[in-house]
Amino acid sequence: MREAVAAAASAVTGLVGDRASGWDRAGRLPEDVVRKLGAAGHLTAQVPARYGGPGWSSADSGEFTAHVGSLCGSLRSVMTSQGMAAWAVERLGDPAQAADLLPRLASGGTAAVAFSEPEAGSDLSAVATTVTADGDGLSLTGRKSWVTAAEYADLFLVVARMDEGGAVAVVPRTAPGVTVRRIADPLGCRAAGHADVRFDAVRLPPGSLLGGGRQPLPLLVTTALAYGRISVAWGCVGILRACVAAAVGHARSRQQFGRPLGRHQLVARHLADLWAAEQVATRACEYASRRWDENAADLVTAVVLAKYVSAGHAARGAAAAVQVLASAGARDGHVVARAYRDAKLMEIIEGSNEMCQLILADHALGRP
C-alpha cells in the first residue's frame, strides 16, 4: 500500500508542478486536474475496493492528504469535500445507494456536502433547509453557504430537516431550481470552488435520501464531519511541512550581518517552533488515524483533538514562516503567503477551534 501512496503522491506532484500559486490567484482549479485526480481514485482514497476505490487506510490516506496539502490547499480542500461525500454515502446510504454512488465518486464524478446556512453554522438547531414529500417524489428548499467544491460538483449532498428529524438529499447540480453562486475572493483556499447554493423547490425522486431519511440531524452532520475533520487535520500537516521547507530554505541561504539568517537566535527560535509544530501535528494525526483504522471507542475525541491541534499549529506556524521570510514571503501567491491565508480558514471550517475546545472540555469533564 505504501508503494501505491508514493506513486499517487508522485503523480500529484507532477500534475500540480509550480501551478498552485497561479490557481490561487485565478481562484479556480483546472477542470481537467480535478477530473484526472477523480478518475484515478485520488479524491476518494478510502472508498473500499469493492466499489472501485483505492481502499486505503486512514493512515495512508492521511499521509497522501498531507502531501497534497503541502502542494495546494485548494486541491486538498476539494479532496476533503469529495471524501466527506463518499464517507457519508458509505455510512448513511443503503446498499443500493452505495453501489450506485460510490463507484461514480471513485471514478471521476464529483460531489460537495452542503451543511452551513446563513443562520446555521455550529448551531444545528437553526438549520432551515427542508425536504418534504411532494406527490410521488420529494421537494427540497433552502439555502446553503460556503459549500466547498460546489463549483466543481456534479452532485450535492444536502443536509436538511425532514419531519421531526433530518435527511441527506442527493441532488444533481443540473436539477431545476439549483443555483450556484461562486464566493468571490475568499480569504484562503481561493481555488477550492467555494459557493453559496440555493435550492428552490427542487423536485427529487423518492430514493434520493441517504438511508431513507428521518435520521437524527446531529448524527448526519457529525458522520460527515468526522471525515472532514481528520482530512483537514492532515491537510494542516501539509501546510506546516511546506512552511518548514520554505522557512528553512530561506534561513539557510539569506545572509544578514555576515552570517546565515538561521544563525540569528530570534530567527532560530521561529524555526524551532515551526519544526516542533509540524512534529506535534503529525503525531496527533497519526494517533487519530490509528484510532480511526481500529474503530476505537475514543475515535471522535482523537479526531477532534487532531483537528484542533493541527489547525492551531498551522495558523501560528504559517505566521512564523511569513515572519522569517519577511517581504520575500509577503507576495501574493508565495507558498507561505498562501499558507498564511489557508491556515486561518482551517481554524474555522469543519468545526471551529472554539467548538473543538468545547468538545474537548466535555471529554475532560467526563461528559457523554
Side-chain angles (χ1 to χ4, degrees):
M1 190 65 73
R2 292 290 176 175
E3 292 79 7
V5 175
S10 177
V12 174
T13 299
L15 200 58
V16 175
D18 61 356
R19 298 194 288 167
S21 63
W23 298 343
D24 184 69
R25 287 194 294 271
R28 188 165 182 87
L29 299 170
E31 191 80 16
D32 68 305
V33 169
V34 175
R35 297 295 175 180
K36 282 179 182 177
L37 290 175
H42 294 157
L43 299 181
T44 51
Q46 288 179 245
V47 168
R50 66 182 180 275
Y51 296 117
W56 292 353
S57 66
S58 176
D60 287 336
S61 175
E63 277 295 342
F64 179 62
T65 301
H67 179 73
V68 176
S70 72
L71 299 174
C72 178
S74 292
L75 190 57
R76 195 277 312 151
S77 291
V78 172
M79 178 189 298
T80 295
S81 177
Q82 184 87 343
M84 289 171 68
W87 180 249
V89 170
E90 185 179 348
R91 298 291 290 180
L92 301 172
D94 60 39
Q97 289 169 330
D100 172 38
L101 293 170
L102 290 178
R104 290 160 61 183
L105 296 180
S107 61
T110 51
V113 183
F115 293 113
S116 299
E117 300 182 3
E119 302 301 327
S122 300
D123 183 7
L124 297 178
S125 67
V127 169
T129 299
T130 59
V131 59
T132 56
D134 185 8
D136 60 352
L138 303 164
S139 179
L140 177 72
T141 296
R143 292 185 295 162
K144 294 295 183 179
S145 302
W146 204 272
V147 181
T148 301
E151 283 279 279
Y152 312 112
D154 301 322
L155 298 171
F156 293 106
L157 271 62
V158 185
V159 176
R161 291 190 171 278
M162 185 179 192
D163 299 332
E164 298 303 312
V168 176
V170 181
V171 184
R173 182 195 186 96
T174 56
V178 177
T179 304
V180 179
R181 179 170 294 176
R182 177 178 177 269
I183 295 172
D185 302 320
L187 171 68
C189 299
R190 290 173 174 171
H194 303 299
D196 296 330
V197 187
R198 290 180 61 97
F199 303 95
D200 296 311
V202 178
R203 291 276 300 167
L204 299 169
S208 299
L209 305 181
L210 294 183
R214 296 183 176 86
Q215 301 108 322
L217 192 58
L219 168 67
L220 303 178
V221 175
T222 55
T223 295
L225 275 182
Y227 188 99
R229 283 169 174 160
I230 196 167
S231 182
V232 166
W234 275 110
C236 288
V237 170
I239 288 174
L240 284 162
R241 289 175 181 174
C243 286
V244 169
V248 168
H250 183 77
R252 281 174 173 161
S253 61
R254 174 79 163 164
Q255 293 278 330
Q256 290 288 280
F257 302 104
R259 55 179 172 166
L261 190 62
R263 294 302 178 187
H264 294 274
Q265 287 185 343
L266 293 180
V267 175
R269 182 199 68 184
H270 285 308
L271 299 178
D273 287 347
L274 183 53
W275 181 84
E278 185 274 328
Q279 290 291 301
V280 170
T282 297
R283 302 300 167 258
C285 287
E286 287 174 342
Y287 178 76
S289 280
R290 195 156 59 245
R291 303 310 278 166
W292 183 290
D293 290 332
E294 295 167 353
N295 196 26
D298 66 343
L299 163 62
V300 172
T301 303
V303 168
V304 172
L305 177 63
K307 196 273 180 185
Y308 173 65
V309 168
S310 299
H313 277 310
R316 293 186 294 273
V322 172
Q323 194 70 23
V324 171
L325 273 84
S327 59
R331 301 176 187 275
D332 194 23
H334 191 284
V335 62
V336 299
R338 283 192 286 116
Y340 184 80
R341 291 184 287 98
D342 291 354
K344 185 59 197 174
L345 280 190
M346 301 306 105
E347 293 191 303
I348 299 170
I349 64 171
E350 318 306 0
S352 67
N353 274 22
E354 291 77 9
M355 289 304 300
C356 290
Q357 286 174 314
L358 291 175
I359 294 170
L360 295 173
D362 280 347
H363 176 74
L365 291 167
R367 295 176 184 170

